[in-house]
Amino acid sequence: MSSGRSSGGPSKHTLALFFSERVVPFLSRPALPALLLPNGLYLFSSNAICRYLFEVSGQESSDLCSQWLEWEATDLQVNFNQKDVDSQDYVLTRWSKQNKSQVCVFPISLPQEGKRNILLTSALPYVNNVPHLGNIIGCVLSADVFSRYGRLRGWNLLFICGTDEYGTATENKAREEGLTPQQICDKYHAVHASIYKWFQIDFDFFGRTTTKKQTEIAQDIFWRLHKRDFLVEDTVEQLRCESCQRFLADRFVEGICPFCNYPEARGDQCDKCGRLINAVELREPQCKVCRQTPVIRSSKHLFLDLPKLEGQLDEWLDKSTGSGDWTANAKQITRSWLRDGLKPRCITRDLKWGTPVPHPDFAEKVFYVWFDAPIGYLSITANYTDQWEKWWKNPQQVELYNFMAKDNVPFHSVVFPCSLLGAQDNYTLVNHLVATEYLNYEDTKFSKSRGVGVFGDMAQDTGIPSDVWRFYLLYLRPEGQDSAFSWADMALKNNSELLNNLGNFINRAGMFVSKFFDGCVPVMELQQEDKRLLAQVGWELRQYIQLMDKVKIRDALKHILNISRHGNQYIQVNEPWKNIKGGDSERQRASTVTGLSVNIACLLSVMLQPYMPAVSQTIRKQLNAPESCINTMLQGTGTFVCALTAGHRIGTVSPLFQKLEADQIEALKKRFGGQQNTASAKPAAAPAPVAVAETAAVNGADPERARQLTQAVAEQGDKVRTLKAQKAEKAVITAEVAMLLDLKKQLALAEGKSPEPTPQKGKKK
């Protein structure tokens, strides 16, 4: 940290430079430097500070200086033509201090008068699960795209998420791994944060539910409900597993659905028919941990009196679904709940790991996760700013968007709103509930245990950039019906849409400027054909904005690709590579076609930013595009401006995408198709005489662990081969090889073999 006085400005203005890595996890818009203004507020971004100092000192910026001071901050829009500059106009946010040992500052987003204030949440992922592609597209990625788009539109937006860490699932995971529940939460919270960072999910704050704020806010809502008689006591029958010596949480019971006969219904809800279930209603129930049949036992619990709140809920739902952008499935699922009639919903559980119930008669119990978890949105915001109530108790100023998969809908549209309505504390309730259908993997479901499907921690090991993953997941986003990830289709979309369509157009436009016009955008003289193209591009841009405003993310993406398709056709018809060799009129035609094309490429870089942020940044860097283009293109109904005027010098142009080869895709399909687990399962299931090993057998075989280790060995082997192919540093490869050898030793022991190396006839893949 350093500080000093500005050389040209008045002495009362102190320029303070702050830098801190990792102030908090996933704080995505760090601010440096910072200028302390006379009114006690701060101004950040070097260009804004310098322009402010020019204004207050009465000096004018030179053309060269102005070029250097192109805007960096996409959120900052200030009119510098006014004579009297009010420092308030420059201040985006107040600042908050963290870490007493050093001064660490960052901007805090709060609702602002006169702006559209968007509070955006993504469903909190279970901490004990590694998210697969379906989890990522259903929640965090979809929310991230809309968040980025909202900022481009100039909305004042706060994007909150975090890990859901309480409940039986965490307790069981801790038991499996020999750790405490808190250690499990710490471990997997870091895993989630790492995955989302790689996928470029741009949270304002990524928190967790195991905090003091969670306890304070959840217990406050509980007492408010209790004092207003919205809680009732009842004795309920629960399933208890005598083998595991515990009451079973709903999601740790499976059985036959009593309504549709689906054989894998959970203890709280059937994934097939969507109906709510009490675990004791399941036919042929099984404990998911040990597969034993549980028994029924009685226990006293507290219930949220949903029937008593149904009138308030109906009134609020009519208003919210009528004025907000609720997806069709969210409306349908909510209506089905109301049609069946609401029943009291249990909010307590016989567990240890959870937010404690503060009532003395229920001191041994914790809150049920679906009462507790949505309150995590509030507590995570409270850990982001102590002024969290300005977001969560401000329905007059704030619009709330919830992103989730369809199985989470009833808890966000009925249970959680009833909790907040009953608390009667002016809470901000959801205005727009955005739910996806399910994403499957090829022709089956994702399964970590069976090695089927791509999970978040595996995607980065495929060698495919995160932007390509983002593009394909968003291209097939399950908006109206279930969709399926397909390796063959991913290769097709990459090679046709990204490489041959989008990438080809942008690269050609830039290369024509570099090759034919010495890197400077040429003069454009528009003809009727050019104006028709502008009209087409303008229409596509308006459609994109209309769809994105309605959170039709997949459909909006098609209009980006349509623009580049129009551009490719335009270039192909006009042949600038031929016209440049002709007379004056032909050369002018080449100039116009090239100049218009490179400006369309600039527009595409802005439209792509919510979908492919790294590619968007690369395009703007190659075109040397001014940051101001970001602030203008998506305003109102869409404005296609000439951001790269004649004489503008672009940067170095290079290809944006690489072809996905057939053999590469086939190898990835095989790797994530579960073949390793299938192959390793066959010897374990075979009769003893067939399973003769080439090494000496030892005692202590563990078939289940062997299956898990077989998958781990296969994945580690792939990782080593990838590192070698990439010619990584020798020390890195050596460490990964050592890990591979250790896994192989563990696998040998689990298979009942000697870990010592013995002669082999050949390796089996």
Side-chain angles (χ1 to χ4, degrees):
M1 168 182 166
S2 62
S3 65
R5 294 191 182 276
S6 60
S7 57
S11 60
K12 65 180 179 180
H13 297 285
T14 302
L15 182 63
L17 298 176
F18 296 97
F19 178 72
S20 173
E21 292 187 25
R22 285 195 231 159
V23 177
V24 291
F26 264 90
L27 186 62
S28 58
R29 274 165 296 283
L32 71 131
L35 175 66
L36 176 61
L37 297 169
N39 59 10
L41 301 180
Y42 289 87
L43 166 66
F44 63 87
S45 119
S46 56
N47 44 40
I49 290 170
C50 291
R51 287 184 182 270
Y52 172 73
L53 293 176
F54 273 122
E55 290 287 339
V56 297
S57 65
Q59 300 182 29
E60 292 189 4
S61 170
S62 66
D63 291 341
L64 180 60
C65 188
S66 294
Q67 185 177 349
W68 276 92
L69 293 177
E70 276 296 348
W71 289 115
E72 297 171 355
T74 62
D75 294 329
L76 189 58
Q77 299 178 41
V78 181
N79 180 8
F80 285 98
N81 294 325
Q82 57 190 1
K83 291 182 179 180
D84 297 320
V85 181
D86 182 357
S87 62
Q88 293 279 358
D89 292 340
Y90 294 85
V91 181
L92 296 184
T93 59
R94 290 185 178 271
W95 290 55
S96 176
K97 295 181 180 180
Q98 294 279 317
N99 191 339
K100 296 179 181 178
S101 63
Q102 60 177 348
V103 181
C104 302
V105 295
F106 57 89
I108 294 295
S109 178
L110 294 174
Q112 299 176 25
E113 288 286 348
K115 296 202 73 173
R116 188 179 183 194
N117 299 297
I118 303 292
L119 177 56
L120 193 155
T121 69
S122 168
L124 307 183
Y126 283 125
V127 73
N128 60 295
N129 292 331
V130 176
H132 57 64
L133 297 181
N135 303 137
I136 290 169
I137 184 59
C139 301
V140 294
L141 179 53
S142 295
D144 177 66
V145 172
F146 191 71
S147 169
R148 290 174 179 273
Y149 170 75
R151 297 186 200 282
L152 292 178
R153 293 281 274 157
W155 303 337
N156 182 41
L157 190 147
L158 179 65
F159 181 17
I160 290 293
C161 189
T163 42
D164 175 9
E165 302 190 351
Y166 282 133
T168 301
T170 304
E171 288 186 352
N172 284 333
K173 191 71 172 179
R175 188 186 304 109
E176 288 174 14
E177 298 195 15
L179 300 172
T180 66
Q182 187 61 62
Q183 288 172 330
I184 282 291
C185 292
D186 294 343
K187 173 183 175 180
Y188 283 97
H189 175 82
V191 169
H192 279 266
S194 174
I195 290 169
Y196 303 141
K197 183 177 182 180
W198 187 81
F199 274 97
Q200 303 173 77
I201 309 300
D202 195 22
F203 305 115
D204 284 291
F205 189 69
F206 184 72
R208 51 202 308 188
T209 57
T210 51
T211 65
K212 291 181 179 178
K213 291 291 186 184
Q214 176 74 10
T215 301
E216 291 171 8
I217 297 172
Q219 291 184 349
D220 176 67
I221 291 174
F222 167 82
W223 280 123
R224 295 184 71 89
L225 289 167
H226 186 272
K227 291 174 182 176
R228 289 159 179 78
D229 295 325
F230 289 122
L231 299 180
V232 293
E233 294 183 14
D234 199 2
T235 299
V236 299
E237 294 182 329
Q238 290 179 256
L239 293 178
R240 177 179 172 85
C241 179
E242 297 297 343
S243 175
C244 295
Q245 288 294 299
R246 63 195 301 118
F247 284 101
L248 296 178
D250 294 338
R251 287 179 177 247
F252 278 80
V253 185
E254 275 187 354
I256 300 172
C257 175
F259 301 105
C260 71
N261 295 320
Y262 179 59
E264 297 178 8
R266 298 194 310 264
D268 60 348
Q269 189 176 19
C270 176
D271 283 339
K272 185 176 181 181
C273 69
R275 298 283 291 274
L276 285 184
I277 300 171
N278 286 323
V280 293
E281 296 175 337
L282 288 171
R283 299 202 304 272
E284 300 179 21
Q286 283 188 332
C287 169
K288 287 185 67 175
V289 177
C290 67
R291 291 298 169 187
Q292 297 298 310
T293 301
V295 297
I296 297 176
R297 294 285 184 267
S298 295
S299 181
K300 188 172 72 170
H301 286 278
L302 284 166
F303 289 72
L304 180 61
D305 195 348
L306 293 179
K308 195 172 183 179
L309 288 158
E310 192 165 355
Q312 294 183 55
L313 181 70
D314 278 335
E315 182 180 349
W316 166 74
L317 278 172
D318 286 344
K319 180 180 177 182
S320 183
T321 58
S323 61
D325 292 316
W326 287 52
T327 52
N329 57 356
K331 292 180 181 179
Q332 185 271 323
I333 291 168
T334 303
R335 279 196 298 265
S336 69
W337 266 57
L338 296 174
R339 184 179 60 246
D340 296 340
L342 297 182
K343 300 175 182 177
R345 189 73 177 166
C346 189
I347 67 165
T348 55
R349 282 293 181 268
D350 292 294
L351 299 174
K352 299 291 185 184
W353 185 245
T355 301
V357 178
H359 196 291
D361 294 346
F362 298 86
E364 298 300 314
K365 301 182 189 295
V366 299
F367 288 129
Y368 176 35
V369 67
W370 275 115
F371 172 79
D372 185 61
I375 297 172
Y377 298 133
L378 284 63
S379 70
I380 289 169
T381 310
N383 280 296
Y384 166 73
T385 171
D386 58 4
Q387 300 180 69
W388 65 275
E389 292 182 351
K390 291 186 177 180
W391 284 106
W392 283 103
K393 296 183 181 181
N394 190 4
Q396 296 79 20
Q397 277 191 310
V398 175
E399 291 179 63
L400 174 59
Y401 281 79
N402 289 161
F403 282 77
M404 69 200 68
K406 64 181 179 182
D407 57 333
N408 283 340
V409 166
F411 305 103
H412 289 77
S413 66
V414 177
V415 179
F416 186 44
C418 279
S419 298
L420 298 183
L421 287 168
Q424 298 177 2
D425 204 14
N426 196 39
Y427 277 107
T428 303
L429 302 180
V430 62
N431 303 92
H432 314 275
L433 203 157
V434 184
T436 61
E437 301 290 323
Y438 294 137
L439 176 71
N440 296 315
Y441 180 79
E442 298 284 356
D443 56 352
T444 185
K445 292 183 178 181
F446 289 87
S447 173
K448 188 84 169 179
S449 62
R450 292 185 289 113
V452 176
V454 182
F455 286 72
D457 55 346
M458 303 171 181
Q460 55 193 302
D461 295 330
T462 61
I464 299 172
S466 65
D467 264 12
V468 175
W469 282 106
R470 287 174 63 107
F471 168 81
Y472 183 60
L473 290 174
L474 292 160
Y475 190 95
L476 52 78
R477 183 174 183 262
E479 291 185 358
Q481 60 185 15
D482 291 357
S483 59
F485 175 92
S486 161
W487 282 109
D489 187 58
M490 183 180 189
L492 178 65
K493 296 302 185 293
N494 177 84
N495 298 342
S496 61
E497 295 290 10
L498 291 183
L499 186 63
N500 296 335
N501 176 14
L502 182 68
N504 182 53
F505 170 69
I506 293 172
N507 185 252
R508 292 172 87 188
M511 287 302 296
F512 291 155
V513 176
S514 298
K515 185 177 180 180
F516 301 145
F517 301 98
D518 196 28
C520 289
V521 176
V523 174
M524 291 160 272
E525 295 181 1
L526 300 183
Q527 298 179 5
Q528 197 60 37
E529 181 183 359
D530 309 315
K531 293 176 182 178
R532 280 197 298 270
L533 177 63
L534 287 173
Q536 285 179 316
V537 171
W539 184 85
E540 300 285 0
L541 174 59
R542 289 191 296 274
Q543 293 300 306
Y544 167 90
I545 289 177
Q546 289 176 21
L547 289 166
M548 287 293 277
D549 279 354
K550 295 293 184 181
V551 207
K552 301 292 185 182
I553 295 171
R554 183 193 62 196
D555 293 341
L557 177 57
K558 305 301 192 297
H559 291 279
I560 298 176
L561 301 173
N562 286 346
I563 290 176
S564 58
R565 200 169 286 113
H566 291 317
N568 275 317
Q569 293 168 355
Y570 173 70
I571 288 176
Q572 207 62 32
V573 168
N574 285 279
E575 300 180 323
W577 60 91
K578 290 184 180 179
N579 286 329
I580 196 68
K581 301 173 184 177
D584 289 346
S585 61
E586 286 84 0
R587 289 181 62 83
Q588 181 55 55
R589 189 71 196 130
S591 295
T592 300
V593 170
T594 299
L596 182 52
S597 296
V598 80
N599 270 280
I600 293 173
C602 185
L603 169 65
L604 287 170
S605 75
V606 177
M607 297 173 72
L608 272 174
Q609 201 274 344
Y611 294 87
M612 306 179 77
V615 169
S616 170
Q617 178 62 32
T618 299
I619 297 169
R620 294 200 304 277
K621 183 178 180 181
Q622 290 186 11
L623 299 180
N624 194 25
E627 289 293 330
S628 57
C629 69
I630 296 177
N631 294 332
T632 56
M633 300 282 198
L634 301 187
Q635 297 307 305
T637 58
T639 307
F640 178 26
V641 297
C642 181
L644 310 181
T645 55
H648 172 86
R649 180 168 293 280
I650 68 170
T652 303
V653 178
S654 60
L656 296 170
F657 306 106
Q658 291 185 339
K659 184 179 181 181
L660 291 178
E661 301 291 350
D663 56 348
Q664 177 188 4
I665 290 299
E666 188 58 36
L668 289 168
K669 184 176 180 180
K670 184 177 180 181
R671 173 182 169 187
F672 295 107
Q675 291 91 339
Q676 299 96 331
N677 278 31
T678 302
S680 66
K682 290 178 180 177
V690 179
V692 177
E694 295 171 347
T695 53
V698 295
N699 294 328
D702 185 347
E704 179 59 32
R705 179 160 173 75
R707 282 192 288 273
Q708 295 173 355
L709 286 167
T710 299
Q711 175 68 15
V713 167
E715 292 175 1
Q716 186 66 16
D718 287 339
K719 187 173 184 180
V720 169
R721 284 188 287 275
T722 300
L723 288 170
K724 289 181 177 179
Q726 295 173 345
K727 297 183 179 179
E729 294 183 8
K730 185 176 180 180
V732 175
I733 296 175
T734 301
E736 297 297 337
V737 169
M739 188 179 297
L740 175 62
L741 294 175
D742 182 63
L743 285 170
K744 286 183 175 180
K745 288 181 180 180
Q746 295 180 46
L747 174 60
L749 289 170
E751 291 177 336
K753 303 173 185 176
S754 169
E756 298 301 322
T758 56
Q760 296 182 349
K761 295 179 182 179
K763 293 183 178 180
K764 296 182 180 180
K765 296 289 184 183

